[in-house]
Amino acid sequence: MSENREQFRPPGHENDHFLLTTVVGSYPKPSWLNRARDLHDDPDSEFDDDDWREAQDDASRLITNEHERAGLDVVVDGEMRRNEMVEFFAHRIDGYEFNGPVKVWGHNYFDKPSVTDEVEYGESWLVSEYEFTASVADRPVKVPITGPYTLASWSFNEAYEDEEALAYDLADLVNEEIEKLVAAGARYIQIDEPALATTPDDHAIVGECLERIVSGIPDDVRIGLHVCYGDYSRIYPELLDFPVHELDLELANGDYDQLDVFKNPEFTKDLALGVVDAHVAEVESVEQIERNIQKGLEVVPPEQLTVSPDCGVKLLPREVAYGKMENLVTAARNVEAKLDSGELTPDLN
């Protein structure tokens, strides 16, 4: 167990065992926030920057509160200020340009950015977002950041010799941002690297990026890595060498078909296990989620287990997303009680 995990146990927690509950990051936006964005983008509208900022604040406050009502131990604002996980950061990094959307699947488009010059750190990307969320939250706040490998992979590279060199420079910028977040009080950072699962041969590049990201970051700051949707057998056990405290994995969507991958060799990091499916618009029952949590106890003991959705849930109907979070927390507390009573014992293989 990472020594920095206990700081997130709520005061007066009802059970001796503690399964940390949280979300990956994104959450459905209130419909009125999308309408507010349209108004802000309309040059004929009187909806100005102050109005737009107030709308984002209200949405962030609302979703943070929704996470707390669901009972999550660590909350996020649902990324209410972010439009997309690469675009958001590319707009804030010097060296990036946008030249129009590209089609990615079906009728969906992605405003894929281009790196046209050496990337540089300008103003902070997330400190104001974190400070606002922390000011309205009664619980610890996690900060998700798109990782440098994904930022490099999902952009056009017109300035660097290769993607690897770009990723390393971006990693240095992420390190700079985390230093500012830590100074502002953040104690839980999650690096999102979905591109890794689809290009597993580059795990060493991601490892070097993470070494740069955590350089100089205090040990009491929890660093997680979220990797989703791919063949984990091609990046395990190499994942264990990464300098992070927690590995956040998507497994519910595949009905835990890949669970055995993580049993040998021993999983030595904390495991953040997806126990609800982010791509199914139905709320799993508490009983089903309890069974999913027990899958995690086949890999790590309770003190190393975090419980979360498979991935960001922004594409779900909001009431479904909330139902999943609420049942996730209830299931985690039930499993804790069963562990306390001896009704349930970890089944590590």
Side-chain angles (χ1 to χ4, degrees):
M1 180 180 70
S2 298
E3 293 181 356
N4 60 29
R5 184 179 187 268
E6 273 300 292
Q7 65 185 303
F8 303 108
R9 179 193 286 262
H13 187 63
E14 60 185 349
N15 299 314
D16 292 336
H17 282 91
F18 173 51
L19 302 174
L20 177 61
T21 60
T22 187
V23 293
V24 170
S26 72
Y27 198 79
K29 290 182 171 63
S31 56
W32 51 260
L33 185 65
N34 295 324
R35 174 60 178 150
R37 177 188 294 276
D38 291 342
L39 286 171
H40 182 250
D41 292 343
D42 183 351
D44 297 326
S45 169
E46 295 181 356
F47 198 87
D48 61 20
D49 289 347
D50 288 341
D51 296 327
W52 176 227
R53 192 174 304 108
E54 182 179 345
Q56 291 178 305
D57 285 352
D58 287 346
S60 297
R61 184 184 294 106
L62 179 70
I63 300 305
T64 300
N65 178 260
E66 197 157 302
H67 286 177
E68 292 183 333
R69 281 195 291 113
L72 294 166
D73 300 308
V74 174
V75 300
V76 179
D77 76 346
E79 302 180 3
M80 290 297 106
R81 303 171 199 276
R82 309 186 194 182
N83 51 339
E84 197 275 339
M85 65 183 301
V86 172
E87 285 180 46
F88 176 85
F89 292 94
H91 276 295
R92 289 158 176 78
I93 297 173
D94 295 339
Y96 269 98
E97 287 186 3
F98 288 84
N99 298 296
V102 297
K103 196 171 185 178
V104 286
W105 70 84
H107 297 291
N108 292 302
Y109 286 82
F110 164 47
D111 201 3
K112 187 171 181 174
S114 298
V115 178
T116 59
D117 201 352
E118 185 174 338
V119 293
E120 294 182 2
Y121 188 89
E123 295 182 359
S124 167
W125 313 335
L126 298 168
V127 169
S128 61
E129 174 189 293
Y130 167 75
E131 289 179 333
F132 180 86
T133 307
S135 75
V136 299
D138 292 327
R139 303 192 179 201
V141 173
K142 181 169 72 174
V143 183
I145 303 177
T146 303
Y149 180 75
T150 297
L151 287 172
S153 296
W154 292 0
S155 305
F156 295 114
N157 174 23
E158 302 174 13
Y160 281 76
E161 179 180 352
D162 54 35
E163 202 171 276
E164 180 177 352
L166 171 59
Y168 292 158
D169 270 9
L170 287 166
D172 291 338
L173 305 191
V174 173
N175 171 260
E176 203 165 340
E177 176 65 14
I178 293 176
E179 286 180 343
K180 287 185 167 51
L181 285 163
V182 170
R187 289 295 178 272
Y188 198 162
I189 307 290
Q190 175 186 283
I191 306 299
D192 295 330
E193 288 286 18
L196 172 59
T198 56
T199 50
D201 292 342
D202 284 351
H203 64 80
I205 297 174
V206 174
E208 172 59 26
C209 285
L210 288 165
E211 293 285 353
R212 291 169 181 246
I213 285 171
V214 303
S215 177
I217 304 301
D219 291 339
D220 66 341
V221 176
R222 187 172 181 80
I223 304 292
L225 174 69
H226 173 65
V227 182
C228 54
Y229 303 109
D231 182 356
Y232 290 122
S233 68
R234 296 188 63 190
I235 51 176
Y236 190 85
E238 288 81 1
L239 283 173
L240 299 178
D241 294 330
F242 290 168
V244 299
H245 303 104
E246 178 181 83
L247 293 170
D248 187 315
L249 306 173
E250 159 270 322
L251 290 169
N253 182 256
D255 199 23
Y256 300 94
D257 286 347
Q258 298 191 64
L259 190 72
D260 287 348
V261 168
F262 304 103
K263 294 180 180 178
N264 187 22
E266 177 185 1
F267 198 95
T268 53
K269 302 290 186 183
D270 290 353
L271 169 64
L273 181 73
V275 297
V276 296
D277 193 335
H279 290 271
V280 174
E282 296 176 0
V283 177
E284 293 89 341
S285 68
V286 170
E287 293 74 17
Q288 178 61 58
I289 300 173
E290 286 185 36
R291 289 193 290 273
N292 293 348
I293 293 172
Q294 290 179 50
K295 293 288 186 183
L297 296 175
E298 295 178 21
V299 178
V300 294
E303 59 270 21
Q304 286 177 236
L305 185 61
T306 296
V307 178
S308 74
D310 259 354
C311 200
V313 295
K314 69 178 183 181
L315 297 179
L316 294 173
R318 191 169 145 207
E319 66 274 16
V320 172
Y322 180 78
K324 285 175 184 275
M325 300 309 103
E326 190 174 47
N327 282 3
L328 179 155
V329 172
T330 300
R333 303 290 96 100
N334 288 349
V335 171
E336 289 172 350
K338 290 177 182 178
L339 288 165
D340 280 4
S341 69
E343 180 182 347
L344 178 66
T345 55
D347 184 25
L348 295 173
N349 294 306

